[in-house]
Amino acid sequence: MIIANLCDKERYFALHPLFKPLFEYLATHDLANAPTGRINIVGDDLFINVNKSEMVERAKQKLEVHRKYIDIHIPLSCSEDFGWRHLSTLGESDAPFDIDNDFALYSAESHKWFTLCPGEFCIVFPEDAHAPIVGSGTIKKLVAKIKL
């Protein structure tokens, strides 16, 4: 997992060929006022989900993992707490991996917590089990999905 400020985004372009087009798209579009839903940039290889969600308490948020996609989480309206734990320490998932929707959920507790603020982003790789949208109130955020 990588946590960074949006002003340093160029530093991460070398990690994946679709990171640069993603951050260029973010810089040239007003996504703070975008309606919720999916924005296709490069079909299923690169897209953004614009989400508006009620945040939940730490104890109620399960860890999630993905296999086909890297996530980049970008809060827009407020800060969110974010849990993390390495995939290798999780044991069994709560249900079999959902191949069609590319996720599994785990009830294990997060090992680390941090706060992600507007103007920041985190890059979540398949080995990063993560528990986003933790806090109180409603959050509007972007979750970019980059195919491996």
Side-chain angles (χ1 to χ4, degrees):
M1 176 175 285
I2 295 170
I3 305 162
N5 193 289
L6 284 167
C7 68
D8 297 321
K9 62 191 174 290
E10 293 88 2
R11 182 179 307 274
Y12 305 99
F13 289 176
L15 295 177
H16 192 288
L18 292 175
F19 282 11
K20 183 176 180 181
L22 167 66
F23 285 108
E24 287 175 346
Y25 186 91
L26 295 174
T28 58
H29 292 80
D30 179 16
L31 297 176
N33 293 307
T36 58
R38 179 173 162 154
I39 300 169
N40 289 316
I41 301 172
V42 184
D44 287 337
D45 291 342
L46 171 59
F47 58 93
I48 299 170
N49 289 321
V50 180
N51 299 324
K52 192 170 189 179
S53 304
E54 286 299 315
M55 292 195 279
V56 299
E57 298 173 18
R58 283 185 182 190
K60 292 184 180 179
Q61 186 62 302
K62 293 185 177 193
L63 290 159
E64 62 184 70
V65 297
H66 312 289
R67 291 181 184 161
K68 294 190 310 189
Y69 287 94
I70 298 167
D71 280 0
I72 299 182
H73 291 252
I74 306 165
L76 298 174
S77 64
C78 63
S79 299
E80 67 179 311
D81 286 344
F82 212 100
W84 175 89
R85 184 170 175 164
H86 195 273
L87 176 63
S88 67
T89 70
L90 291 175
E92 292 294 318
S93 62
D94 294 0
F97 192 88
D98 183 335
I99 294 170
D100 293 336
N101 294 304
D102 189 41
F103 81 96
L105 297 174
Y106 293 81
S107 293
E109 292 183 20
S110 296
H111 279 168
K112 308 270 188 229
W113 286 94
F114 62 92
T115 300
L116 193 63
C117 301
E120 299 173 338
F121 66 94
C122 69
I123 302 173
V124 180
F125 296 96
E127 64 272 15
D128 297 316
H130 54 288
I133 63 169
V134 173
S136 61
T138 303
I139 186 170
K140 185 173 185 181
K141 67 181 288 186
L142 308 175
V143 181
K145 306 290 276 184
I146 299 98
K147 197 168 196 176
L148 290 168

